[in-house]
């Protein structure tokens, strides 16, 4: 691909394609690239030859597994697209793209209607301040239910939704309702739809509203200005219709993105937070090419041929091959070198300057990390991005290498993958001594392990990880221990009296010093606390860490010669163990909140299964199209096989996400089973 020219901020359109899996986002992206002349023919998801789904995992699964950058030009404007995965397991990739763009195009499958990710991503885009558009795709397949689907969308997302075009000729064409005031369509009156849209748009400007009410004509350029303002404010969310496979409505969509879509200068300003600012305090960054460089690293990948590739949204300023920049809080300055555009797997080099508002990439800069803000070396202000709320990765697998000696390689590969996906995490459980990977769901983790195999040639075996139980106490108690040791020379002596009290769930640990009169000299009290921490780590019931405990040291004795730090550390440890043995210790288990999406007909089977897993249904939300979302809470220990069970019960149509809620007391029968597997190591005071 030849070198790529540059565009000024007002001529750039940044768009993210969002929606549930199977809605046709990737096919729509292919159609737009083809209509813009970027490709000679459309690729196909089924044939695994699209620009977006170039990774082997996407081709194997026949759906997107990562977000992909694409670009095209149309009528003198640059269109930057981010095609995102639609299945709930990969929602982190979709959310991570939101800070980079002005416009979110939410693609809805005309056959399936409003699905799980439709709702979640629509609201997430609104929370990030993006202009939103809804594209009803596959209108050539579902020709009769489109009017009903529009009503369902309006019922779900509110009166801001307005059709900006309508299908005609039974889904084989569309008719514009913004520029055009008359014509025929498959449903609805074009004149009426045009009137509704214009009335909503002119509400954004008092002068235009007065003109409209007076019957005066309003110039189309002015209407477009008001339209962008209305979209940015969420006052108008246009609905469009397409059949991406046959390219029906695609030219209309491109026309609206070019003519009515916000640019980096007309969209809502991007927001940053100064390092150290309070969570709610943000600063709007104007898209000004003449100001000092600021760029947000919104995505990082490891390309087998290029190496590390960092995708940037230039927030202000500009970049060329000689631009100097610093990564986040680092001190070392770097030079950009080659500035790249990204077209799927291709990375053509820009031939000129990249201006504020553009999406570009830098290669082989190892110091660049995701969600850093790049800035000029002389800048004294440090910034952090405002990010969407990501789901907490709660689905976990313990892994170990198939080949001995691969532990370090695997750790490095997994940490590279974790930087690419904000909902993928890696941890080493010091309690269970397992390497554990965490994601949104089973499919998510399987794909991440496939990426590790394909990119780094590393294989692992997996198993359900051990549950990270905790322990606590349920009543007050006192403990005492005297540590006395004499071995010929200087001895050891320390005596500790303490009380333990339960704290509210989630309060952690509190240490209180109530020593009076020097019963324990002040320099030894920290040693007592260290001893308590030693015992906290190993618990009292089944060897798990203890939490939600207050320890009050109130008395003790010391010896002017034999007392030492180690003596009081030992005395504190065993005094604490003495107290918790009397304080009715119990086991705690992690409880997660679940959101389960399913066709309504399977609700009874799902709630019955949850009851069998000690789960509790909190509420049920009925969705349009016969779908229900069940909100529930359940112990994590009961959900090891839940993904497979849900797919089995719902014939593959159900999905769920979960996030950590709290720790709760384990029922006695479950505690007895866990305790039976515990083989404590005998500890002696030596």
């Amino acid at each position: 691909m030849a070198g790529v020219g540059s565009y000024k901020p007002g001529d750039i359109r940044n768009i993210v394609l969002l929606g549930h899996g199977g809605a046709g986002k990737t096919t729509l992206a292919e159609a737009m690239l083809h209509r813009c002349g970027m490709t000679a023919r459309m690729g196909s998801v089924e044939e695994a030859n699209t620009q977006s789904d170039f990774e082997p995992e996407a081709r194997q699964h026949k759906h997107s597994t990562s977000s992909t950058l694409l670009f095209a030009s149309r009528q003198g404007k640059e269109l930057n697209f981010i095609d995102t995965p639609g299945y709930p397991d990969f929602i982190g990739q979709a959310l991570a793209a939101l800070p980079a763009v002005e416009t979110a195009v939410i693609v809805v499958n005309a056959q399936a209607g409003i699905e799980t990710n439709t709702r979640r991503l629509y609201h997430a885009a609104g929370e990030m301040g993006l202009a939103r558009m809804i594209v009803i795709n596959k209108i050539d397949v579902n020709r009769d239910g489109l009017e009903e689907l529009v009503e369902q969308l309006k019922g779900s997302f509110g009166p801001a939704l307005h059709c900006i075009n309508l299908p005609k000729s039974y889904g084989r064409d569309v008719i514009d309702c913004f520029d055009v005031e008359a014509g025929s369509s498959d449903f609805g009156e074009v004149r009426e739809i045009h009137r509704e849209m214009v009335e909503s748009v002119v509400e954004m400007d008092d002068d235009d509203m007065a003109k409209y009410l007076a019957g005066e004509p309003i110039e189309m350029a002015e209407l477009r200005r008001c339209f962008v303002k209305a979209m940015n404010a969420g006052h108008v969310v246009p609905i469009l219709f397409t059949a991406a496979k046959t390219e029906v409505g695609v030219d209309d969509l491109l026309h609206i993105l070019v003519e009515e879509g916000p640019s980096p200068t007309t969209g809502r300003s991007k927001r940053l937070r100064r390092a150290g600012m309070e969570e709610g305090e943000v600063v709007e960054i104007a898209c000004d090419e003449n100001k000092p460089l600021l760029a947000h690293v919104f995505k990082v990948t490891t390309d087998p041929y290029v190496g590390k590739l960092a995708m940037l949204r230039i927030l202000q300023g500009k970049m060329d091959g000689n631009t100097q920049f610093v990564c986040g809080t680092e001190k070392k300055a770097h030079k950009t070198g080659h500035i790249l555009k990204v077209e799927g797997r291709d990375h053509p080099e820009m031939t000129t300057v990249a201006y504020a508002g553009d999406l570009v990439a830098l290669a082989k800069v190892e110091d660049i990390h995701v969600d850093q803000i790049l800035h000029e070396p002389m800048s004294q202000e440090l910034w952090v991005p405002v990010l969407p709320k990501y789901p907490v990765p709660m689905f976990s697998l313990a892994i170990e290498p198939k080949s001995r000696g691969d532990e370090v390689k695997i750790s490095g590969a997994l940490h590279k993958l974790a930087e690419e996906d904000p909902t993928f995490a890696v941890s080493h459980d010091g309690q269970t001594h397992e390497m554990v990977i965490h994601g949104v769901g089973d499919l998510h983790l399987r794909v991440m392990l496939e990426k590790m195999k394909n990119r780094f040639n590393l294989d692992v075996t997996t198993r359900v990880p051990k549950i990270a139980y905790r322990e606590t106490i349920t009543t007050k108690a006192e403990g005492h221990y005297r540590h006395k040791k004499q071995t010929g020379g200087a001895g050891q002596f320390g005596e500790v009296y303490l009380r333990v009290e339960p704290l509210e769930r989630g309060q952690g640990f509190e240490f209180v010093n109530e020593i009076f009169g020097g019963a324990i000299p002040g320099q030894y009290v920290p040693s007592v606390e260290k001893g308590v921490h030693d015992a906290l780590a190993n618990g009292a019931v089944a060897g798990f860490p203890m939490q939600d405990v207050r320890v009050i040291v109130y008395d003790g004795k010391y010896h002017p010669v034999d007392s030492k730090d180690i003596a009081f550390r030992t005395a504190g440890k065993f005094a604490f163990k003495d107290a918790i043995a009397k304080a009715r210790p119990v086991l705690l288990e992690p409880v997660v909140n679940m959101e389960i999406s399913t066709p309504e007909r399977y609700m009874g089977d799902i709630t019955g299964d949850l009851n069998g897993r000690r789960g509790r249904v909190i509420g049920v939300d009925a969705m349009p199209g016969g779908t229900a979302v069940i909100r529930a809470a359940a112990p994590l220990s009961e959900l090891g096989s839940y993904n497979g069970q849900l797919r089995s019960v719902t014939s593959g149509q159900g999905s769920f996400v979960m996030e950590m809620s709290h720790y709760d007391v384990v029922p006695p029968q479950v505690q007895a089973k866990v305790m039976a597997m515990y083989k404590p190591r005998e500890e002696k005071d030596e």
Side-chain angles (χ1 to χ4, degrees), residues 14-25:
N14 296 315
I15 303 117
V16 62
L17 301 176
L18 305 172
H20 198 84
K25 298 180 296 298

Side-chain angles (χ1 to χ4, degrees), residues 126-408:
E127 289 165 5
M128 288 298 293
L130 302 185
R132 291 171 290 183
M133 303 168 63
I134 291 178
V135 171
I136 299 177
N137 191 31
K138 304 185 180 182
I139 62 172
D140 52 338
V141 180
N142 180 21
R143 299 172 180 173
D144 299 323
L146 296 177
E147 186 173 10
E148 181 183 355
L149 177 54
V150 169
E151 293 307 311
Q152 290 174 354
L153 287 164
K154 290 181 177 180
S156 293
F157 301 132
L161 273 64
H162 296 279
C163 292
I164 199 170
N165 67 9
L166 288 172
K168 61 181 290 188
S169 303
Y170 301 102
R172 291 190 291 271
D173 199 0
V174 296
I175 182 169
D176 183 10
C177 300
F178 189 73
D179 295 2
V180 177
E181 296 186 48
S184 60
S185 65
D186 291 346
F187 69 86
E189 292 289 333
V190 172
R191 186 180 300 278
E192 182 64 19
I193 298 294
H194 174 82
R195 183 188 62 78
E196 288 179 4
M197 177 62 78
V198 170
E199 286 182 355
S200 292
V201 165
V202 297
E203 286 177 356
M204 302 303 295
D205 188 286
D206 291 341
D207 291 339
D208 288 335
M209 187 67 176
K211 283 183 183 179
Y212 179 79
L213 293 175
E216 297 178 29
I218 302 173
E219 294 291 330
M220 184 55 67
E222 178 62 16
L223 274 179
R224 288 195 169 114
R225 185 191 68 80
C226 289
F227 182 85
V228 171
K229 189 175 179 182
M231 280 184 65
N232 288 334
H235 185 71
V236 166
V237 178
I239 300 175
L240 299 91
F241 297 84
T242 62
K245 273 193 175 181
T246 54
E247 302 185 48
V248 169
V250 176
D251 284 338
D252 239 41
L253 172 59
L254 288 167
H255 170 78
I256 289 161
L257 290 171
V258 167
E259 296 292 343
E260 279 96 36
S263 71
T265 56
T266 59
R268 277 189 59 175
S269 296
K270 293 301 175 184
R271 297 172 297 162
L272 295 180
R273 187 178 292 112
R274 286 191 180 89
M277 287 177 67
E278 293 294 327
E279 188 69 23
E281 295 182 69
V282 295
V283 176
E284 291 193 344
I285 305 298
C287 184
D288 188 339
E289 66 193 79
N290 297 311
K291 288 192 173 182
L293 174 69
L294 286 176
H296 173 208
V297 183
F298 67 90
K299 181 178 174 66
V300 170
T301 65
T302 304
D303 186 277
Y305 306 104
V306 179
K308 190 169 188 176
L309 193 68
M311 284 75 157
L312 320 175
R313 160 66 187 249
I314 305 178
L315 301 172
Q316 68 177 33
K318 49 185 174 287
M319 301 177 80
D320 61 24
N322 295 310
T323 300
Q324 299 278 329
F325 67 88
V326 172
C327 306
T329 58
E330 302 293 326
K331 303 296 183 185
K332 180 182 175 183
H334 301 269
K335 191 169 82 168
T336 51
H338 302 289
I339 302 175
L340 310 175
K341 291 293 288 184
V342 179
E343 188 80 283
R345 70 161 61 253
D346 298 319
H347 314 123
E349 186 173 350
M350 292 192 71
T351 55
T352 53
V353 178
Y355 291 100
D358 210 349
L359 307 187
V360 298
L362 299 179
K364 300 178 181 178
V365 184
E366 293 302 318
D367 290 345
I368 294 182
H369 300 290
V370 73
D371 288 327
Q372 283 180 327
I373 300 297
L374 309 187
H375 55 89
E376 290 192 341
M378 300 304 293
S379 174
Q380 298 301 309
E381 287 191 303
L382 297 177
W383 300 92
V384 292
V386 175
L387 300 175
K389 182 181 178 183
Y390 296 112
V392 178
M394 286 298 301
F395 192 91
S396 304
L397 285 175
I399 63 171
E400 59 184 32
K402 284 187 177 179
S403 300
R404 293 183 63 182
D406 276 353
E407 288 89 349
V408 174

